[in-house]
Protein backbone atom coordinates (compact mmCIF):
# COMPACT_ATOMS: atom_id res chain seq x y z
CA UNK A 1 0.00 0.00 0.00
CA UNK A 2 1.29 3.41 -0.93
CA UNK A 3 0.28 6.74 0.55
CA UNK A 4 0.97 10.21 -0.78
CA UNK A 5 0.57 12.23 2.42
CA UNK A 6 0.13 11.96 6.17
CA UNK A 7 -3.39 12.77 7.35
CA UNK A 8 -2.49 15.91 9.31
CA UNK A 9 -2.59 19.67 8.96
CA UNK A 10 -3.35 21.03 5.50
CA UNK A 11 -3.79 17.58 3.96
CA UNK A 12 -6.46 16.69 6.52
CA UNK A 13 -8.18 20.06 6.11
CA UNK A 14 -8.26 19.77 2.31
CA UNK A 15 -9.57 16.20 2.40
CA UNK A 16 -12.33 17.08 4.86
CA UNK A 17 -13.31 20.17 2.87
CA UNK A 18 -13.52 18.11 -0.32
CA UNK A 19 -15.24 15.10 1.23
CA UNK A 20 -17.60 16.62 3.79
CA UNK A 21 -18.10 20.26 2.81
CA UNK A 22 -18.48 19.95 -0.96
CA UNK A 23 -15.32 21.82 -1.96
CA UNK A 24 -15.35 19.90 -5.25
CA UNK A 25 -12.70 22.08 -6.88
CA UNK A 26 -10.13 20.61 -4.48
CA UNK A 27 -10.28 17.34 -6.43
CA UNK A 28 -8.19 19.04 -9.13
CA UNK A 29 -5.44 19.51 -6.51
CA UNK A 30 -5.88 16.25 -4.61
CA UNK A 31 -6.06 13.99 -7.67
CA UNK A 32 -2.52 14.74 -8.89
CA UNK A 33 -1.21 14.05 -5.37
CA UNK A 34 -3.05 10.72 -5.35
CA UNK A 35 -1.47 10.04 -8.77
CA UNK A 36 1.98 9.90 -7.10
CA UNK A 37 0.85 7.05 -4.84
CA UNK A 38 -0.85 5.31 -7.79
CA UNK A 39 2.37 5.53 -9.78
CA UNK A 40 4.33 3.94 -6.93
CA UNK A 41 1.70 1.21 -6.46
CA UNK A 42 1.57 0.43 -10.18
CA UNK A 43 5.36 -0.09 -10.26
CA UNK A 44 5.50 -2.26 -7.13
CA UNK A 45 5.82 -6.04 -7.19
CA UNK A 46 2.40 -7.69 -6.92
CA UNK A 47 1.46 -8.67 -3.40
CA UNK A 48 -1.81 -9.14 -1.54
CA UNK A 49 -0.50 -8.29 1.94
CA UNK A 50 1.89 -5.34 2.00
CA UNK A 51 3.88 -5.12 5.21
CA UNK A 52 4.49 -1.39 5.26
CA UNK A 53 3.00 1.86 4.07
CA UNK A 54 5.57 3.65 1.93
CA UNK A 55 4.76 7.29 1.36
CA UNK A 56 5.38 8.99 -1.95
CA UNK A 57 8.03 11.71 -1.68
CA UNK A 58 6.64 15.22 -1.61
CA UNK A 59 7.39 17.07 -4.83
CA UNK A 60 5.85 19.29 -7.42
CA UNK A 61 5.20 18.54 -11.05
CA UNK A 62 3.98 15.47 -12.94
CA UNK A 63 4.73 12.01 -11.53
CA UNK A 64 7.13 10.86 -14.25
CA UNK A 65 9.61 13.67 -13.64
CA UNK A 66 10.83 12.25 -10.33
CA UNK A 67 13.52 10.12 -11.90
CA UNK A 68 11.53 6.89 -11.47
CA UNK A 69 10.43 4.51 -14.20
CA UNK A 70 8.43 6.15 -16.95
CA UNK A 71 4.71 5.29 -16.87
CA UNK A 72 4.85 5.07 -20.67
CA UNK A 73 6.67 1.73 -20.39
CA UNK A 74 4.21 0.12 -17.99
CA UNK A 75 1.18 -2.12 -18.50
CA UNK A 76 -2.33 -0.62 -18.41
CA UNK A 77 -3.57 0.30 -14.95
CA UNK A 78 -7.15 0.14 -13.69
CA UNK A 79 -8.02 2.27 -10.68
CA UNK A 80 -10.79 0.77 -8.54
CA UNK A 81 -12.21 3.23 -5.98
CA UNK A 82 -13.11 1.79 -2.58
CA UNK A 83 -16.87 2.40 -2.48
CA UNK A 84 -18.62 4.57 0.07
CA UNK A 85 -22.04 3.68 1.41
CA UNK A 86 -24.85 4.85 -0.87
CA UNK A 87 -26.34 6.91 1.94
CA UNK A 88 -22.97 8.67 2.49
CA UNK A 89 -22.67 9.49 -1.21
CA UNK A 90 -26.26 10.75 -1.25
CA UNK A 91 -25.68 12.86 1.85
CA UNK A 92 -22.52 14.43 0.46
CA UNK A 93 -23.91 14.86 -3.03
CA UNK A 94 -20.81 13.29 -4.58
CA UNK A 95 -18.40 10.36 -4.30
CA UNK A 96 -15.09 11.93 -3.20
CA UNK A 97 -12.91 8.86 -3.77
CA UNK A 98 -14.22 8.32 -7.30
CA UNK A 99 -13.79 12.03 -8.09
CA UNK A 100 -10.15 12.00 -6.89
CA UNK A 101 -9.48 8.75 -8.76
CA UNK A 102 -10.68 10.36 -11.98
CA UNK A 103 -8.40 13.36 -11.41
CA UNK A 104 -5.46 11.03 -10.67
CA UNK A 105 -6.18 9.11 -13.88
CA UNK A 106 -6.34 12.37 -15.85
CA UNK A 107 -2.92 13.36 -14.48
CA UNK A 108 -1.38 9.98 -15.31
CA UNK A 109 -2.86 9.94 -18.83
CA UNK A 110 -1.17 13.27 -19.53
CA UNK A 111 2.08 11.51 -18.67
CA UNK A 112 1.37 8.73 -21.15
CA UNK A 113 0.08 6.02 -18.82
CA UNK A 114 -2.79 3.86 -20.02
CA UNK A 115 -5.12 4.21 -17.03
CA UNK A 116 -8.85 4.05 -16.40
CA UNK A 117 -11.19 4.24 -13.43
CA UNK A 118 -13.67 1.40 -12.95
CA UNK A 119 -16.03 1.45 -9.95
CA UNK A 120 -16.54 -2.32 -9.96
CA UNK A 121 -17.01 -2.71 -6.20
CA UNK A 122 -20.19 -2.09 -4.24
CA UNK A 123 -21.46 -2.59 -0.73
CA UNK A 124 -23.56 -5.72 -0.42
CA UNK A 125 -24.86 -4.89 3.05
CA UNK A 126 -25.10 -1.94 5.40
CA UNK A 127 -22.12 -1.07 7.58
CA UNK A 128 -21.83 1.40 10.43
CA UNK A 129 -19.66 4.52 10.24
CA UNK A 130 -16.06 3.46 10.85
CA UNK A 131 -14.97 6.57 12.77
CA UNK A 132 -14.44 5.78 16.43
CA UNK A 133 -14.24 2.01 15.90
CA UNK A 134 -11.24 -0.04 17.00
CA UNK A 135 -9.33 -2.12 14.45
CA UNK A 136 -11.17 -5.27 15.61
CA UNK A 137 -14.55 -3.52 15.34
CA UNK A 138 -13.67 -2.23 11.87
CA UNK A 139 -12.74 -5.73 10.78
CA UNK A 140 -16.04 -7.15 12.05
CA UNK A 141 -17.99 -4.24 10.55
CA UNK A 142 -16.55 -4.71 7.06
CA UNK A 143 -16.16 -8.52 6.93
CA UNK A 144 -17.84 -9.61 3.69
CA UNK A 145 -19.38 -6.17 3.16
CA UNK A 146 -18.10 -5.58 -0.38
CA UNK A 147 -18.66 -7.45 -3.61
CA UNK A 148 -17.84 -7.07 -7.26
CA UNK A 149 -20.60 -5.81 -9.53
CA UNK A 150 -21.93 -8.39 -12.02
CA UNK A 151 -19.47 -8.67 -14.89
CA UNK A 152 -16.76 -6.87 -12.90
CA UNK A 153 -14.18 -9.60 -13.50
CA UNK A 154 -14.64 -9.26 -17.25
CA UNK A 155 -14.41 -5.46 -17.08
CA UNK A 156 -11.10 -5.53 -15.22
CA UNK A 157 -9.37 -7.45 -18.00
CA UNK A 158 -5.59 -7.39 -18.37
CA UNK A 159 -3.18 -5.04 -16.65
CA UNK A 160 -2.52 -3.88 -13.12
CA UNK A 161 -5.36 -3.19 -10.68
CA UNK A 162 -4.82 -0.50 -8.05
CA UNK A 163 -7.37 0.07 -5.30
CA UNK A 164 -7.69 3.76 -4.40
CA UNK A 165 -9.06 5.39 -1.25
CA UNK A 166 -8.84 8.77 0.41
CA UNK A 167 -7.59 7.89 3.91
CA UNK A 168 -6.08 4.69 5.33
CA UNK A 169 -6.43 4.24 9.09
CA UNK A 170 -6.13 0.52 9.88
CA UNK A 171 -6.17 -0.86 6.33
CA UNK A 172 -9.34 -2.88 6.93
CA UNK A 173 -11.29 -1.18 4.10
CA UNK A 174 -8.49 -1.87 1.62
CA UNK A 175 -8.18 -5.48 2.80
CA UNK A 176 -11.91 -6.03 2.34
CA UNK A 177 -11.82 -4.40 -1.10
CA UNK A 178 -8.88 -6.61 -2.11
CA UNK A 179 -10.77 -9.69 -0.90
CA UNK A 180 -13.82 -8.70 -2.95
CA UNK A 181 -11.62 -8.31 -6.03
CA UNK A 182 -10.09 -11.74 -5.48
CA UNK A 183 -6.73 -10.46 -4.19
CA UNK A 184 -3.66 -9.38 -6.11
CA UNK A 185 -4.49 -5.67 -6.25
CA UNK A 186 -2.03 -2.99 -5.22
CA UNK A 187 -3.37 -0.07 -3.17
CA UNK A 188 -2.83 3.68 -3.17
CA UNK A 189 -4.32 6.24 -0.82
CA UNK A 190 -4.13 9.98 -0.69
CA UNK A 191 -3.36 10.14 3.03
CA UNK A 192 -2.26 7.76 5.79
CA UNK A 193 -3.65 8.36 9.25
CA UNK A 194 -0.94 7.72 11.82
CA UNK A 195 -3.22 7.60 14.87
CA UNK A 196 -5.27 4.63 13.62
Amino acid sequence: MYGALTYTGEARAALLAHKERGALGLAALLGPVLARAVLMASHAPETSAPASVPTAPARRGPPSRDGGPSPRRRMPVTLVPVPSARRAVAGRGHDPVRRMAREAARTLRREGMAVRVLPVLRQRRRVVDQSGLTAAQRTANLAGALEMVPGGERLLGAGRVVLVDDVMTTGVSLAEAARALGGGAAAAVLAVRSDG
Side-chain angles (χ1 to χ4, degrees):
M1 202 284 300
Y2 295 86
L5 303 167
T6 302
Y7 187 68
T8 58
E10 291 178 1
R12 180 180 182 277
L15 267 168
L16 286 174
H18 174 254
K19 184 174 185 173
E20 304 297 345
R21 294 191 289 282
L24 303 184
L26 286 173
L29 299 173
L30 297 171
V33 177
L34 176 60
R36 291 199 312 258
V38 169
L39 189 61
M40 290 175 62
S42 67
H43 289 31
E46 290 198 26
T47 177
S48 58
S52 62
V53 183
T55 302
R59 57 169 195 77
R60 296 177 181 235
S64 66
R65 295 183 185 151
D66 66 356
S70 169
R72 291 176 182 85
R73 298 187 201 121
R74 295 293 180 185
M75 66 178 80
V77 175
T78 299
L79 305 184
V80 176
V82 173
S84 296
R86 286 186 199 131
R87 66 188 178 280
V89 172
R92 292 177 181 132
H94 75 117
D95 185 333
V97 174
R98 190 184 300 186
R99 185 178 299 274
M100 287 188 300
R102 287 180 179 148
E103 289 294 336
R106 192 171 290 126
T107 297
L108 293 169
R109 277 189 215 107
R110 283 194 298 266
E111 290 301 309
M113 180 182 277
V115 60
R116 63 188 177 154
V117 178
L118 283 179
V120 296
L121 292 177
R122 66 182 180 191
Q123 289 195 340
R124 59 188 297 235
R125 63 172 176 77
R126 290 180 66 104
V127 297
V128 300
D129 186 344
Q130 296 274 91
S131 60
L133 298 183
T134 66
Q137 290 168 329
R138 286 171 183 250
T139 300
N141 185 41
L142 287 180
L146 300 179
E147 67 183 358
M148 194 138 21
V149 300
E153 300 92 346
R154 180 181 45 78
L155 289 172
L156 289 175
R160 191 72 189 264
V161 175
V162 177
L163 286 164
V164 293
D165 207 352
D166 55 354
V167 180
M168 197 275 305
T169 302
T170 61
V172 170
S173 297
L174 291 166
E176 171 59 16
R179 182 211 56 80
L181 285 177
V189 298
L190 183 65
V192 176
R193 190 170 179 160
S194 58
D195 63 346

